[in-house]
Amino acid sequence: MDDTDRKLIAALRRDSRMSLSDLSSLLGLSRTTVRNRIEKLVAAGEILGFSVVLKGDVAQSPVRGLMMLGIEGRGTDRIVRSLNGLPAVQAVHTTNGKWDLIVEIGTDTLEMLDAVLGQIRRFDGVSQSETNLLLATRKSAGLRP
């Protein structure tokens, strides 16, 4: 990935609906070159996909939190599969440092969040956890005012 690819990705992050013509003008490249670069980034696995964020998606799950998990033994893959099966789990991230996984959770109420946290804490192999509520989001990928 070169500097032009990074600029292309930055432009797509700001406005993923930007036309090839607008991208080519912004980057000083032909439309064909921009299209080819996007296709190469997708083929190389640098761009994993494109998504649509709906107004309703932002309004859903007003109670959100990050749950950090410590896993004992070799149960991480099994626990990730279990987490992915929970509707309240929005994303699961592997990480380094004190925690093995960071789980993004969204629910409608604090009571529902508490129930999901309790369910996850009971997973075989979860040795410790810490949860922080998300109070406000200042910037989120794909969301713009």
Side-chain angles (χ1 to χ4, degrees):
M1 183 181 315
D2 62 14
D3 193 47
T4 301
D5 289 335
R6 285 188 279 282
K7 288 178 184 176
L8 173 59
I9 290 171
L12 289 170
R13 281 186 171 154
R14 282 190 301 277
D15 183 358
S16 62
R17 295 186 63 208
M18 191 177 289
S19 70
L20 288 175
S21 296
D22 290 341
L23 287 167
S24 66
S25 294
L26 178 71
L27 300 171
L29 302 169
S30 72
R31 286 177 39 143
T32 302
T33 300
V34 170
R35 185 180 60 247
N36 288 340
R37 281 182 175 264
I38 291 172
E39 289 172 359
K40 286 180 183 176
L41 289 166
V42 170
E46 295 294 333
I47 295 177
L48 297 178
F50 300 88
S51 64
V52 174
V53 179
L54 302 175
K55 184 178 181 180
D57 295 337
V58 177
Q60 290 177 350
S61 305
V63 179
R64 298 169 298 134
L66 296 177
M67 183 180 203
M68 285 68 72
L69 296 176
I71 309 298
E72 61 185 24
R74 296 182 175 192
T76 302
D77 290 339
R78 178 180 37 79
I79 291 171
V80 168
R81 282 191 303 276
S82 296
L83 290 166
N84 285 333
L86 298 176
V89 172
Q90 298 174 341
V92 179
H93 309 276
T94 58
T95 185
N96 66 333
K98 178 179 178 180
W99 304 107
D100 299 302
L101 298 174
I102 297 176
V103 183
E104 294 181 44
I105 302 169
T107 62
D108 291 334
T109 66
L110 281 171
E111 291 80 13
M112 292 171 70
L113 179 67
D114 185 46
V116 172
L117 298 178
Q119 185 177 4
I120 293 170
R121 286 185 189 114
R122 288 188 298 275
F123 286 173
D124 187 40
V126 172
S127 61
Q128 56 183 334
S129 69
E130 177 182 317
T131 304
N132 293 297
L133 290 178
L134 298 176
L135 301 177
T137 301
R138 305 287 184 218
K139 179 179 180 182
S140 181
L143 301 178
R144 295 179 349 133

